[in-house]
Amino acid sequence: MATLRDDLKSLIGARSANPLAEKLGITTVGQLLRHYPRRYSDRGALTEIAGLEQGEHVTVMAQVVNANVRSMRNRRGSILEVTITDGSKQLRCAFFNRAKWHAERLRPGKTGLFAGKVSEYRRTLQLAHPEYELLDEMGASAVDEFVSEIIPVYPATEGMQSWVIARCVRQVLDLVEIEDDPMPPELLAAHGLASLDSALRMIHRPPDFDSLDVARRRLKWDEAMAIQLIFAERRKSAVSRPAPACPPVAGGLLDAFDARLPFTLTDGQREVGEDIAADIAQPHPMNRLLQGEVGSGKTVVALRAMLQVIDAGKQAAMLAPTEVLAAQHARSLRELLGDLGCAGELGAAEHATRVALLTGSMTAKQRKQALLDAASGAAGIIVGTHALIQDTVSFADLGLAVVDEQHRFGVEQRDALRSRGAEDTSPHVLVMTATPIPRTVAMTVYGDLEISALRELPAGRSPITTSVVPAAEKPAWLERAWQRIAEEVGKGHQAYVVCPRIGDEPPANNGEGRPAISVLDMAAELAHGPLSELRVGVLHGRLPADEKDALMRGFAAGKVDVLVATTVIEVGVNVPNATVMVIMDAERFGLSQLHQLRGRVGRGDVPGLCLLVTDALDGTVARERLAAVESTLDGFELSRKDLELRREGDILGAAQSGKRSGLKLLSLLRDEDMIADAREAALGIVADDPALGNHLGLAHLVTDLVDPDRAEFLEKS
Ligand code: ADP
Ligand code: MG
């Protein structure tokens, strides 16, 4: 009896199997049977010649209307021109080789499948030397298939046509029966799922559209389970490690800090704070993701957790994605702590601790001191970029690692952090992000983390108004934007101008219109034009770290009026006096990124204004995306919208065309409930059988559908 892991060659012979391996990388029964049809057509609808687009690789079913051989004027030889129709529209096919031979076969009235790449010839679409298969030349079962209602159309490639794949699938389905269903029977029963054998039969040869739904539901479950099993395993292995228990200590630093906090915590900050406090009191590592809108006050939540850890005699590390942000964090933590953070200095409070900053580009002397403070335990808090988790940094006793703006950190870095605890312990990990993530994406991308969210902003926060500036249609509006900046600066405020690229790189000539507006060009243009009266600064990622830091400090101190920058300011930069942001070529940024960016203004008591400048025209998807940013300040709603407007494949990896992806059917938008169910099921299974030793089928499912590369890709996207 054949199984999914059997080699195709021994089953259907090398002649059929070799092309599948070469063209599609398919070598096993399972890989072929999980190469699902891309769509289905009933006979009449298969072709849709009317809907063809240039550049597509298509398979159409059509009838030959006429076929003419003529000799070519400027080349020797002859060409065969064939007109085919699907009843609605005609399409020209051209054959440059063996014209006479093809003409013999392609007689008017013949019906068949034609496949090839759609090109343009004299302003009409055509198929140049398509491959084809005529109905009356096909085998008996193939004709059956055609006479049946629903025809599977497979994702084909050059040299491997849909009908060839269909033939192989038919052959295999006739030969095998899949008896070992990887999914436990209880699960099939509980969720009313079809067996794998019947689901695979139905998806390739659906008797009707209802059974297609049944098949898809089961096969999606396989995909959802494969992903969630990986995360369940990661979670299980992460929490089963020992961690330093840090129960709260009465009368310690945290209490002293709370007593002098200049504001009351929001309900969200308090609730999340309690969850975290309970987690880090445990002798197993916390792995928690804290999502919270820009400005929702994540830093205080993190700091309070760090203080609880310091009270327990351990250290806390805070990782930021950029040096600018690390330096800013160190500054604001020191500010928040006041004399609680100046241990070793004159006037330090009792139990005071120290905040050390460690970045890649400090002077040797500064670096040495910071390393010493980390290793001796003199610093309770060590702030830095990912340089912190390099092996050269040793901690006296690391209890908690806070990772700010997680979307810049990969899973390896998280793992590296976990190995930095003392004596085989793993520190607790708190990951923070201001990029709101829809529930399914969170379950899929951060499936191994517990998730908390801060949904409200602290009271008294000023609203941000967002407007699209269609520069191509209304150039005067752009002039007005610069005036607005001048007015705000006149009132003593500051502004950001954000551009998609730096401008010192060689211009990318990718044939996609003009290159994006650059920071360097923009700054020069503004400084000599509309903003010539103002102090204009330039900030981007390729400046030396000390220069960046000096600039940010200068901007924070009000010594620069307008900061022209790349997205280095996207995360975490906090200058409450900045009230306007103009984003150039706004359509080139992601929705969540735009949301992040605008969160840099309106942080003080003056309302913020964000202007999205674009050349995109009304009615385009680009404008629709910008309109979405304009219409809502709710980051969660935006992230969902982003998911709708972006191809989901970008997240699930199907976009990596050419590389075989096991995740073909699952949709993060539509299958939210299923993913949640699969998550629960996976957690249950892994709790009893962590290595899946009693669920070999499921273990295979994981490796077959989500290879190790893939799992990592999911984490990073
Ligand atoms: P984010 O979540 O974007 O990292 P921050 O932690 O930087 O936000 O907080 C933004 C600002 O709000 C900071 O200046 C912080 O001191 C202030 N803040 C935080 N919590 C509160 C609160 N409960 N009430 C008033 N202001 C707060
Ligand atoms: Mg922050």
Side-chain angles (χ1 to χ4, degrees):
M1 186 45 62
T3 76
L4 288 177
R5 305 205 119 203
D6 282 358
D7 195 43
L8 271 178
K9 214 182 285 182
S10 54
L11 198 66
I12 59 172
R15 247 187 87 203
S16 297
N18 285 347
L20 288 170
E22 279 161 28
K23 303 286 182 189
L24 298 170
I26 289 175
T27 58
T28 67
V29 169
Q31 286 168 0
L32 180 63
L33 293 185
R34 289 197 189 274
H35 189 74
Y36 308 131
R38 180 169 54 188
R39 59 192 172 86
Y40 302 83
S41 309
D42 43 315
R43 273 196 74 166
L46 179 84
T47 40
E48 290 282 330
I49 287 178
L52 298 187
E53 280 182 36
Q54 197 181 336
E56 271 183 317
H57 187 93
V58 296
T59 304
V60 299
M61 181 148 90
Q63 193 174 42
V64 176
V65 179
N66 58 52
N68 299 308
V69 180
R70 60 177 174 81
S71 50
M72 282 185 284
R73 225 170 293 143
N74 32 16
R75 272 201 273 165
R76 289 206 298 151
S78 49
I79 175 177
L80 169 65
E81 287 177 319
V82 180
T83 306
I84 59 174
T85 181
D86 62 353
S88 67
K89 197 162 187 263
Q90 295 194 337
L91 180 67
R92 184 189 119 106
C93 299
F95 296 85
F96 302 102
N97 300 316
R98 303 216 287 160
K100 297 229 165 59
W101 184 79
H102 287 297
E104 280 296 305
R105 295 176 67 198
L106 293 166
R107 301 268 180 77
K110 293 264 186 187
T111 299
L113 290 168
F114 298 80
K117 198 165 159 186
V118 181
S119 55
E120 206 180 65
Y121 174 77
R122 293 195 180 152
R123 294 167 149 249
T124 57
L125 297 182
Q126 70 158 5
L127 293 178
H129 48 83
E131 295 189 37
Y132 61 93
E133 173 129 326
L134 295 173
L135 215 54
D136 55 8
E137 294 176 1
M138 293 182 195
S141 65
V143 175
D144 273 0
E145 194 95 341
F146 272 102
V147 177
S148 84
E149 288 271 299
I150 304 171
I151 300 163
V153 181
Y154 289 90
T157 58
E158 202 113 22
M160 175 53 68
Q161 304 308 335
S162 174
W163 58 79
V164 180
I165 299 169
R167 197 151 53 205
C168 294
V169 169
R170 266 196 310 273
Q171 222 180 328
V172 168
L173 285 178
D174 288 343
L175 290 170
V176 306
E177 190 173 337
I178 299 139
E179 285 180 328
D180 292 332
D181 197 314
M183 213 69 94
E186 317 84 72
L187 209 70
L188 295 182
H191 295 279
L193 299 175
S195 73
L196 184 58
D197 187 75
S198 65
L200 287 173
R201 276 173 209 287
M202 284 190 283
I203 196 134
H204 291 289
R205 317 173 77 164
D208 49 50
F209 281 100
D210 286 347
S211 53
L212 248 186
D213 289 342
V214 173
R216 282 207 184 105
R217 207 169 91 77
R218 156 61 207 244
L219 298 172
K220 280 182 187 181
W221 252 90
D222 284 1
E223 297 180 5
M225 268 307 260
I227 301 177
Q228 295 303 335
L229 280 168
I230 288 183
F231 287 125
E233 281 175 349
R234 280 185 65 89
R235 235 153 83 125
K236 171 101 181 163
S237 84
V239 300
S240 56
R241 265 175 277 188
C246 303
V249 174
L253 257 180
L254 178 56
D255 283 353
F257 177 77
D258 281 346
R260 57 197 280 175
L261 203 60
F263 43 72
T264 28
L265 296 175
T266 62
D267 289 348
Q269 284 173 320
R270 236 179 347 87
E271 279 158 29
V272 172
E274 278 163 21
D275 288 346
I276 294 174
D279 278 2
I280 60 182
Q282 298 299 316
H284 297 291
M286 168 176 80
N287 287 294
R288 190 174 282 276
L289 172 71
L290 173 56
Q291 297 188 59
E293 280 291 341
V294 173
S296 57
K298 295 183 291 295
T299 315
V300 173
V301 173
L303 177 55
R304 294 185 65 250
M306 293 194 270
L307 294 178
Q308 179 173 333
V309 165
I310 296 168
D311 281 338
K314 319 277 177 209
Q315 291 167 296
M318 185 163 195
L319 273 65
T322 63
E323 301 208 340
V324 170
L325 203 54
Q328 187 190 277
H329 271 317
R331 253 194 323 272
S332 59
L333 291 180
R334 283 181 189 132
E335 258 165 47
L336 280 164
L337 284 169
D339 61 359
L340 296 175
C342 333
E345 292 170 37
L346 225 55
E350 202 190 345
H351 326 288
T353 187
R354 199 188 299 166
V355 180
L357 173 65
L358 195 86
T359 55
S361 59
M362 295 177 8
T363 65
K365 191 169 163 232
Q366 288 171 317
R367 192 174 159 75
K368 199 169 157 205
Q369 184 61 49
L371 285 171
L372 206 64
D373 284 353
S376 68
I381 298 176
I382 300 95
V383 184
T385 59
H386 57 265
L388 258 198
I389 44 177
Q390 281 160 9
D391 289 334
T392 47
V393 183
S394 66
F395 300 94
D397 194 352
L398 185 63
L400 167 69
V402 177
V403 181
D404 197 21
E405 306 302 350
Q406 153 69 18
H407 63 289
R408 302 276 177 98
F409 279 88
V411 63
E412 313 85 352
Q413 283 154 317
R414 230 147 73 201
D415 283 345
L417 253 180
R418 291 198 174 116
S419 67
R420 300 312 311 274
E423 293 164 11
D424 292 340
T425 64
S426 290
H428 301 284
V429 175
L430 175 64
V431 166
M432 305 199 292
T433 178
T435 311
I437 313 162
R439 189 169 74 117
T440 33
V441 180
M443 282 188 295
T444 311
V445 180
Y446 302 113
D448 57 339
L449 305 173
E450 306 289 330
I451 295 169
S452 320
L454 291 178
R455 287 178 181 274
E456 60 195 324
L457 298 185
R461 205 46 70 71
S462 315
I464 303 169
T465 309
T466 307
S467 293
V468 174
V469 177
E473 291 151 44
K474 306 214 157 74
W477 289 22
L478 186 57
E479 291 307 307
R480 181 77 193 109
W482 305 131
Q483 273 171 26
R484 278 305 304 266
I485 287 187
E487 285 163 25
E488 285 298 315
V489 172
K491 288 186 231 162
H493 298 306
Q494 291 162 283
Y496 298 100
V497 177
V498 181
C499 306
R501 85 193 161 91
I502 298 175
D504 60 354
E505 63 284 276
N509 196 352
N510 49 12
E512 289 173 24
R514 69 161 168 80
I517 293 171
S518 78
V519 165
L520 297 178
D521 291 346
M522 193 76 230
E525 196 181 316
L526 291 176
H528 295 109
L531 304 182
S532 57
E533 307 287 297
L534 310 183
R535 295 166 299 176
V536 176
V538 169
L539 180 71
H540 57 75
R542 271 207 288 277
L543 291 175
D546 49 347
E547 226 170 285
K548 273 189 279 193
D549 196 45
L551 231 139
M552 264 331 285
R553 225 185 299 227
F555 188 65
K559 290 181 187 140
V560 172
D561 300 316
V562 181
L563 195 60
V564 184
T566 55
T567 51
V568 287
I569 58 151
E570 171 192 349
V571 284
V573 168
N574 187 18
V575 177
N577 192 43
T579 51
V580 199
M581 174 175 287
V582 176
I583 303 177
M584 305 304 294
D585 284 339
E587 79 284 354
R588 303 200 188 209
F589 297 92
L591 293 198
S592 295
Q593 212 174 10
L594 291 171
H595 182 63
Q596 287 279 309
L597 281 167
R598 73 176 160 186
R600 304 300 117 217
V601 294
R603 296 173 79 84
D605 42 19
V606 181
L609 174 66
C610 176
L611 300 174
L612 306 175
V613 179
T614 180
D615 278 343
L617 298 177
D618 200 18
T620 56
V621 175
R623 280 290 285 280
E624 199 184 322
R625 293 170 70 247
L626 296 181
V629 180
E630 191 178 45
S631 69
T632 181
L633 281 174
D634 182 338
F636 284 92
E637 194 183 316
L638 261 185
S639 68
R640 210 181 153 82
K641 195 96 180 181
D642 207 3
L643 195 57
E644 275 166 32
L645 291 173
R646 211 149 45 113
R647 289 276 210 51
E648 288 189 44
D650 297 352
I651 289 174
L652 276 182
Q656 295 195 322
S657 55
K659 199 172 172 199
R660 195 165 36 78
S661 156
L663 306 174
K664 292 162 180 150
L665 299 173
L666 198 66
S667 157
L668 293 181
L669 274 174
R670 290 182 297 276
D671 301 320
E672 193 166 321
D673 293 341
M674 181 187 292
I675 293 173
D677 287 346
R679 178 176 170 84
E680 201 170 305
L683 287 173
I685 290 169
V686 168
D688 298 335
D689 182 18
L692 297 180
N694 300 325
H695 295 86
L696 264 187
L698 288 179
H700 287 158
L701 193 70
V702 170
T703 38
D704 290 348
L705 293 194
V706 192
D707 59 35
D709 278 53
R710 180 75 40 197
E712 250 163 46
F713 175 77
L714 279 170
E715 288 257 339
K716 274 187 209 138
S717 57

